[in-house]
Amino acid sequence: EQAQLEAARALRDAIYAAAKSVGRGALDPADVAEINRWAARPATAPQLDGARRVRWVAARPVEAALASIARDAIDLINGPLATRVRECAAEDCALLFVDTSPPGRRRWCSMDGCGNRAKTAAYRRRHGRTHEGTDGT
């Protein structure tokens, strides 16, 4: 449903802005209100079946999922890893990630994606390679 998609995007944007602003002063009250509004909603509940499997159920599953996301965001923004939230250094990526590396100097959201592209581009610049073919031409 369109309204659910718009709600999810609004929550995503509020979490993104709040996570980026950690350590830079007070959070935007509108972002805080959006996150808190969703965090206050009912979450999914675990249900056990006869085979000891767990199903997560909710009367309103989309709202429950957004509530869980909002609660996780609060835990991150207020938790010990809040100062480790980083924005990917790739020019074409806006992802945020938690830098759990011991020195805390990770630059890319993923070495398999953005990091590899950046290192490949730097290598090509250093070695005068400007072509993208696999045959070296």
Side-chain angles (χ1 to χ4, degrees):
E1 177 176 314
Q2 187 64 29
Q4 292 174 331
L5 181 59
E6 289 173 13
R9 285 179 176 153
L11 177 59
R12 175 200 61 195
D13 293 347
I15 291 169
Y16 186 88
K20 274 188 71 169
S21 67
V22 168
R24 297 181 184 151
L27 303 178
D28 183 309
D31 295 329
V32 171
E34 182 72 10
I35 294 167
N36 286 340
R37 183 171 70 85
W38 282 104
R41 301 219 176 166
T44 57
Q47 298 290 303
L48 189 62
D49 70 10
R52 296 186 332 209
R53 291 180 300 230
V54 176
R55 284 183 347 132
W56 293 88
V57 299
R60 300 177 128 177
V62 172
E63 288 186 13
L66 294 178
S68 294
I69 291 167
R71 289 184 188 113
D72 286 348
I74 290 171
D75 287 344
L76 174 63
I77 292 166
N78 193 46
L81 295 176
T83 58
R84 290 292 193 110
V85 174
R86 309 274 189 269
E87 187 171 13
C88 183
E91 291 179 14
D92 60 342
C93 182
L95 289 179
L96 299 180
F97 63 93
V98 176
D99 181 1
T100 57
S101 68
R105 293 190 305 251
R106 196 170 122 202
R107 297 183 55 207
W108 300 287
C109 61
S110 163
M111 272 308 299
D112 292 338
C114 293
N116 186 49
R117 282 195 312 274
K119 289 186 174 218
T120 300
Y123 176 86
R124 288 183 176 152
R125 281 192 303 276
R126 285 192 311 271
H127 292 85
R129 293 186 181 175
T130 58
H131 300 131
E132 298 251 346
T134 57
D135 61 358
T137 60

